[in-house]
PDB file of all heavy atoms in Angstrom:
ATOM      1  N   THR A 153      -8.350  -3.728   0.660  1.00  0.00           N
ATOM      2  CA  THR A 153      -7.163  -4.533   0.926  1.00  0.00           C
ATOM      3  C   THR A 153      -7.578  -5.940   1.344  1.00  0.00           C
ATOM      4  O   THR A 153      -8.664  -6.150   1.879  1.00  0.00           O
ATOM      5  CB  THR A 153      -6.291  -3.859   2.001  1.00  0.00           C
ATOM      6  OG1 THR A 153      -5.019  -4.483   2.027  1.00  0.00           O
ATOM      7  CG2 THR A 153      -6.923  -3.906   3.374  1.00  0.00           C
ATOM      8  N   SER A 262      12.101   2.686   2.818  1.00  0.00           N
ATOM      9  CA  SER A 262      11.607   1.376   2.390  1.00  0.00           C
ATOM     10  C   SER A 262      10.467   0.915   3.296  1.00  0.00           C
ATOM     11  O   SER A 262      10.533   1.083   4.529  1.00  0.00           O
ATOM     12  CB  SER A 262      12.730   0.327   2.458  1.00  0.00           C
ATOM     13  OG  SER A 262      12.216  -0.965   2.113  1.00  0.00           O
ATOM     14  N   GLY A 263       9.467   0.321   2.708  1.00  0.00           N
ATOM     15  CA  GLY A 263       8.379  -0.224   3.519  1.00  0.00           C
ATOM     16  C   GLY A 263       7.423  -1.031   2.685  1.00  0.00           C
ATOM     17  O   GLY A 263       7.621  -1.212   1.492  1.00  0.00           O
ATOM     18  N   SER A 264       6.372  -1.510   3.306  1.00  0.00           N
ATOM     19  CA  SER A 264       5.306  -2.350   2.750  1.00  0.00           C
ATOM     20  C   SER A 264       5.617  -3.837   2.849  1.00  0.00           C
ATOM     21  O   SER A 264       4.726  -4.652   2.644  1.00  0.00           O
ATOM     22  CB  SER A 264       4.981  -2.017   1.276  1.00  0.00           C
ATOM     23  OG  SER A 264       4.648  -0.661   1.156  1.00  0.00           O
ATOM     24  N   ALA A 265       6.876  -4.158   3.114  1.00  0.00           N
ATOM     25  CA  ALA A 265       7.296  -5.556   3.287  1.00  0.00           C
ATOM     26  C   ALA A 265       8.689  -5.505   3.914  1.00  0.00           C
ATOM     27  O   ALA A 265       9.314  -4.439   3.951  1.00  0.00           O
ATOM     28  CB  ALA A 265       7.315  -6.275   1.941  1.00  0.00           C
ATOM     29  N   PRO A 266       9.171  -6.650   4.408  1.00  0.00           N
ATOM     30  CA  PRO A 266      10.494  -6.620   5.053  1.00  0.00           C
ATOM     31  C   PRO A 266      11.603  -6.270   4.068  1.00  0.00           C
ATOM     32  O   PRO A 266      11.593  -6.740   2.930  1.00  0.00           O
ATOM     33  CB  PRO A 266      10.675  -8.059   5.546  1.00  0.00           C
ATOM     34  CG  PRO A 266       9.344  -8.694   5.476  1.00  0.00           C
ATOM     35  CD  PRO A 266       8.534  -7.958   4.456  1.00  0.00           C
ATOM     36  N   LEU A 267      12.544  -5.439   4.492  1.00  0.00           N
ATOM     37  CA  LEU A 267      13.709  -5.112   3.657  1.00  0.00           C
ATOM     38  C   LEU A 267      14.835  -6.068   4.062  1.00  0.00           C
ATOM     39  O   LEU A 267      15.346  -5.970   5.187  1.00  0.00           O
ATOM     40  CB  LEU A 267      14.151  -3.666   3.873  1.00  0.00           C
ATOM     41  CG  LEU A 267      15.362  -3.205   3.054  1.00  0.00           C
ATOM     42  CD1 LEU A 267      15.021  -3.167   1.564  1.00  0.00           C
ATOM     43  CD2 LEU A 267      15.850  -1.830   3.518  1.00  0.00           C
ATOM     44  N   GLU A 285      13.851   2.400   7.206  1.00  0.00           N
ATOM     45  CA  GLU A 285      12.787   1.409   7.083  1.00  0.00           C
ATOM     46  C   GLU A 285      11.632   1.792   8.003  1.00  0.00           C
ATOM     47  O   GLU A 285      11.839   2.283   9.104  1.00  0.00           O
ATOM     48  CB  GLU A 285      13.285  -0.014   7.396  1.00  0.00           C
ATOM     49  CG  GLU A 285      12.222  -1.039   7.037  1.00  0.00           C
ATOM     50  CD  GLU A 285      12.694  -2.473   6.980  1.00  0.00           C
ATOM     51  OE1 GLU A 285      13.851  -2.748   7.344  1.00  0.00           O
ATOM     52  OE2 GLU A 285      11.878  -3.322   6.571  1.00  0.00           O
ATOM     53  N   ARG A 286      10.407   1.585   7.482  1.00  0.00           N
ATOM     54  CA  ARG A 286       9.234   1.924   8.305  1.00  0.00           C
ATOM     55  C   ARG A 286       8.204   0.836   8.094  1.00  0.00           C
ATOM     56  O   ARG A 286       8.218   0.108   7.102  1.00  0.00           O
ATOM     57  CB  ARG A 286       8.762   3.337   7.975  1.00  0.00           C
ATOM     58  CG  ARG A 286       7.766   3.563   6.833  1.00  0.00           C
ATOM     59  CD  ARG A 286       8.141   2.988   5.535  1.00  0.00           C
ATOM     60  NE  ARG A 286       7.096   3.084   4.542  1.00  0.00           N
ATOM     61  CZ  ARG A 286       6.047   2.276   4.386  1.00  0.00           C
ATOM     62  NH1 ARG A 286       5.898   1.222   5.183  1.00  0.00           N
ATOM     63  NH2 ARG A 286       5.159   2.439   3.425  1.00  0.00           N
ATOM     64  N   TYR A 287       7.297   0.710   9.043  1.00  0.00           N
ATOM     65  CA  TYR A 287       6.283  -0.359   9.061  1.00  0.00           C
ATOM     66  C   TYR A 287       4.902   0.230   9.221  1.00  0.00           C
ATOM     67  O   TYR A 287       4.681   1.158  10.020  1.00  0.00           O
ATOM     68  CB  TYR A 287       6.580  -1.301  10.242  1.00  0.00           C
ATOM     69  CG  TYR A 287       5.390  -2.124  10.693  1.00  0.00           C
ATOM     70  CD1 TYR A 287       5.103  -3.348  10.107  1.00  0.00           C
ATOM     71  CD2 TYR A 287       4.527  -1.635  11.677  1.00  0.00           C
ATOM     72  CE1 TYR A 287       3.995  -4.083  10.511  1.00  0.00           C
ATOM     73  CE2 TYR A 287       3.419  -2.375  12.079  1.00  0.00           C
ATOM     74  CZ  TYR A 287       3.150  -3.595  11.493  1.00  0.00           C
ATOM     75  OH  TYR A 287       2.054  -4.322  11.879  1.00  0.00           O
ATOM     76  N   GLY A 288       3.961  -0.338   8.440  1.00  0.00           N
ATOM     77  CA  GLY A 288       2.579   0.101   8.646  1.00  0.00           C
ATOM     78  C   GLY A 288       1.613  -0.880   8.023  1.00  0.00           C
ATOM     79  O   GLY A 288       2.012  -1.952   7.551  1.00  0.00           O
ATOM     80  N   MET A 289       0.370  -0.466   8.025  1.00  0.00           N
ATOM     81  CA  MET A 289      -0.701  -1.271   7.412  1.00  0.00           C
ATOM     82  C   MET A 289      -1.715  -0.319   6.837  1.00  0.00           C
ATOM     83  O   MET A 289      -1.830   0.828   7.284  1.00  0.00           O
ATOM     84  CB  MET A 289      -1.418  -2.121   8.473  1.00  0.00           C
ATOM     85  CG  MET A 289      -0.587  -3.188   9.120  1.00  0.00           C
ATOM     86  SD  MET A 289      -1.584  -4.139  10.322  1.00  0.00           S
ATOM     87  CE  MET A 289      -2.595  -5.126   9.193  1.00  0.00           C
ATOM     88  N   THR A 290      -2.509  -0.791   5.886  1.00  0.00           N
ATOM     89  CA  THR A 290      -3.596   0.033   5.376  1.00  0.00           C
ATOM     90  C   THR A 290      -4.486   0.490   6.522  1.00  0.00           C
ATOM     91  O   THR A 290      -4.941   1.627   6.547  1.00  0.00           O
ATOM     92  CB  THR A 290      -4.416  -0.780   4.357  1.00  0.00           C
ATOM     93  OG1 THR A 290      -3.526  -1.257   3.338  1.00  0.00           O
ATOM     94  CG2 THR A 290      -5.507   0.053   3.717  1.00  0.00           C
ATOM     95  N   GLU A 291      -4.696  -0.396   7.488  1.00  0.00           N
ATOM     96  CA  GLU A 291      -5.586  -0.075   8.615  1.00  0.00           C
ATOM     97  C   GLU A 291      -4.970   0.900   9.618  1.00  0.00           C
ATOM     98  O   GLU A 291      -5.688   1.480  10.429  1.00  0.00           O
ATOM     99  CB  GLU A 291      -5.946  -1.355   9.389  1.00  0.00           C
ATOM    100  CG  GLU A 291      -6.845  -2.313   8.647  1.00  0.00           C
ATOM    101  CD  GLU A 291      -6.104  -3.342   7.814  1.00  0.00           C
ATOM    102  OE1 GLU A 291      -4.939  -3.066   7.416  1.00  0.00           O
ATOM    103  OE2 GLU A 291      -6.670  -4.401   7.546  1.00  0.00           O
ATOM    104  N   VAL A 309      12.618  -1.880  12.216  1.00  0.00           N
ATOM    105  CA  VAL A 309      11.735  -0.864  11.620  1.00  0.00           C
ATOM    106  C   VAL A 309      11.579   0.360  12.527  1.00  0.00           C
ATOM    107  O   VAL A 309      10.649   1.149  12.360  1.00  0.00           O
ATOM    108  CB  VAL A 309      10.355  -1.443  11.276  1.00  0.00           C
ATOM    109  CG1 VAL A 309      10.476  -2.461  10.157  1.00  0.00           C
ATOM    110  CG2 VAL A 309       9.684  -2.075  12.504  1.00  0.00           C
ATOM    111  N   THR A 368      -2.524  -6.352  14.872  1.00  0.00           N
ATOM    112  CA  THR A 368      -1.981  -6.238  13.509  1.00  0.00           C
ATOM    113  C   THR A 368      -1.925  -7.574  12.772  1.00  0.00           C
ATOM    114  O   THR A 368      -1.935  -7.616  11.551  1.00  0.00           O
ATOM    115  CB  THR A 368      -0.550  -5.681  13.546  1.00  0.00           C
ATOM    116  OG1 THR A 368       0.287  -6.641  14.219  1.00  0.00           O
ATOM    117  CG2 THR A 368      -0.489  -4.343  14.261  1.00  0.00           C
ATOM    118  N   ASP A 370       0.725  -9.250  12.987  1.00  0.00           N
ATOM    119  CA  ASP A 370       2.175  -9.407  12.797  1.00  0.00           C
ATOM    120  C   ASP A 370       2.834  -9.803  14.114  1.00  0.00           C
ATOM    121  O   ASP A 370       2.367  -9.413  15.181  1.00  0.00           O
ATOM    122  CB  ASP A 370       2.799  -8.080  12.324  1.00  0.00           C
ATOM    123  CG  ASP A 370       2.398  -7.737  10.897  1.00  0.00           C
ATOM    124  OD1 ASP A 370       2.606  -8.589  10.004  1.00  0.00           O
ATOM    125  OD2 ASP A 370       1.849  -6.641  10.683  1.00  0.00           O
ATOM    126  N   ILE A 382      10.008  -6.655  12.836  1.00  0.00           N
ATOM    127  CA  ILE A 382       8.844  -7.463  12.463  1.00  0.00           C
ATOM    128  C   ILE A 382       9.349  -8.851  12.127  1.00  0.00           C
ATOM    129  O   ILE A 382      10.200  -9.013  11.248  1.00  0.00           O
ATOM    130  CB  ILE A 382       8.114  -6.840  11.247  1.00  0.00           C
ATOM    131  CG1 ILE A 382       7.775  -5.376  11.513  1.00  0.00           C
ATOM    132  CG2 ILE A 382       6.855  -7.650  10.907  1.00  0.00           C
ATOM    133  CD1 ILE A 382       6.851  -5.118  12.685  1.00  0.00           C
ATOM    134  N   ARG A 385       4.249 -12.658   9.716  1.00  0.00           N
ATOM    135  CA  ARG A 385       2.807 -12.600   9.915  1.00  0.00           C
ATOM    136  C   ARG A 385       2.348 -13.873  10.588  1.00  0.00           C
ATOM    137  O   ARG A 385       2.916 -14.942  10.377  1.00  0.00           O
ATOM    138  CB  ARG A 385       2.096 -12.447   8.565  1.00  0.00           C
ATOM    139  CG  ARG A 385       2.156 -11.058   7.994  1.00  0.00           C
ATOM    140  CD  ARG A 385       0.959 -10.778   7.128  1.00  0.00           C
ATOM    141  NE  ARG A 385      -0.299 -10.883   7.873  1.00  0.00           N
ATOM    142  CZ  ARG A 385      -0.834  -9.878   8.572  1.00  0.00           C
ATOM    143  NH1 ARG A 385      -0.185  -8.738   8.687  1.00  0.00           N
ATOM    144  NH2 ARG A 385      -1.986 -10.032   9.183  1.00  0.00           N
ATOM    145  N   LYS A 392       2.621 -11.204   0.968  1.00  0.00           N
ATOM    146  CA  LYS A 392       3.117  -9.899   0.522  1.00  0.00           C
ATOM    147  C   LYS A 392       4.037 -10.147  -0.652  1.00  0.00           C
ATOM    148  O   LYS A 392       5.144 -10.671  -0.495  1.00  0.00           O
ATOM    149  CB  LYS A 392       3.889  -9.207   1.660  1.00  0.00           C
ATOM    150  CG  LYS A 392       3.018  -8.328   2.539  1.00  0.00           C
ATOM    151  CD  LYS A 392       2.728  -7.047   1.823  1.00  0.00           C
ATOM    152  CE  LYS A 392       1.704  -6.160   2.422  1.00  0.00           C
ATOM    153  NZ  LYS A 392       1.934  -4.747   2.083  1.00  0.00           N
ATOM    154  N   GLY A 395       5.392  -6.199  -2.300  1.00  0.00           N
ATOM    155  CA  GLY A 395       4.802  -5.176  -1.439  1.00  0.00           C
ATOM    156  C   GLY A 395       3.295  -5.142  -1.504  1.00  0.00           C
ATOM    157  O   GLY A 395       2.641  -4.476  -0.712  1.00  0.00           O
ATOM    158  N   ARG A 397      -0.318  -6.613  -0.800  1.00  0.00           N
ATOM    159  CA  ARG A 397      -0.927  -7.569   0.151  1.00  0.00           C
ATOM    160  C   ARG A 397      -2.003  -8.330  -0.581  1.00  0.00           C
ATOM    161  O   ARG A 397      -2.875  -7.726  -1.222  1.00  0.00           O
ATOM    162  CB  ARG A 397      -1.498  -6.764   1.305  1.00  0.00           C
ATOM    163  CG  ARG A 397      -2.491  -7.467   2.230  1.00  0.00           C
ATOM    164  CD  ARG A 397      -2.747  -6.549   3.412  1.00  0.00           C
ATOM    165  NE  ARG A 397      -3.994  -6.821   4.120  1.00  0.00           N
ATOM    166  CZ  ARG A 397      -4.404  -6.056   5.142  1.00  0.00           C
ATOM    167  NH1 ARG A 397      -3.689  -5.015   5.511  1.00  0.00           N
ATOM    168  NH2 ARG A 397      -5.527  -6.334   5.762  1.00  0.00           N
TER     169      ARG A 397
HETATM  170  P1  LIG B 530      -0.897  -3.535   3.695  1.00  0.00           P
HETATM  171  O1  LIG B 530      -2.204  -3.868   4.242  1.00  0.00           O
HETATM  172  O2  LIG B 530      -0.766  -3.677   2.253  1.00  0.00           O
HETATM  173  O3  LIG B 530      -0.634  -2.216   4.197  1.00  0.00           O
HETATM  174  O4  LIG B 530       0.168  -4.507   4.339  1.00  0.00           O
HETATM  175  C1  LIG B 530       0.456  -4.412   5.693  1.00  0.00           C
HETATM  176  C2  LIG B 530       1.407  -5.538   6.026  1.00  0.00           C
HETATM  177  O5  LIG B 530       2.626  -5.361   5.314  1.00  0.00           O
HETATM  178  C3  LIG B 530       1.804  -5.517   7.484  1.00  0.00           C
HETATM  179  O6  LIG B 530       0.826  -6.181   8.271  1.00  0.00           O
HETATM  180  C4  LIG B 530       3.116  -6.255   7.451  1.00  0.00           C
HETATM  181  O7  LIG B 530       2.891  -7.674   7.450  1.00  0.00           O
HETATM  182  C5  LIG B 530       3.701  -5.838   6.106  1.00  0.00           C
HETATM  183  N1  LIG B 530       4.692  -4.778   6.276  1.00  0.00           N
HETATM  184  C6  LIG B 530       4.569  -3.467   5.989  1.00  0.00           C
HETATM  185  N2  LIG B 530       5.729  -2.829   6.199  1.00  0.00           N
HETATM  186  C7  LIG B 530       6.623  -3.755   6.650  1.00  0.00           C
HETATM  187  C8  LIG B 530       7.988  -3.740   7.061  1.00  0.00           C
HETATM  188  N3  LIG B 530       8.706  -2.619   7.036  1.00  0.00           N
HETATM  189  N4  LIG B 530       8.556  -4.903   7.474  1.00  0.00           N
HETATM  190  C9  LIG B 530       7.844  -6.048   7.488  1.00  0.00           C
HETATM  191  N5  LIG B 530       6.563  -6.153   7.106  1.00  0.00           N
HETATM  192  C10 LIG B 530       5.955  -5.015   6.693  1.00  0.00           C
END
Side-chain angles (χ1 to χ4, degrees):
T153 193
S262 177
S264 304
L267 180 67
E285 189 166 7
R286 88 307 173 278
Y287 159 87
M289 294 181 74
T290 304
E291 291 90 335
V309 293
T368 65
D370 290 306
I382 307 299
R385 283 209 60 86
K392 269 283 170 152
R397 164 171 159 184

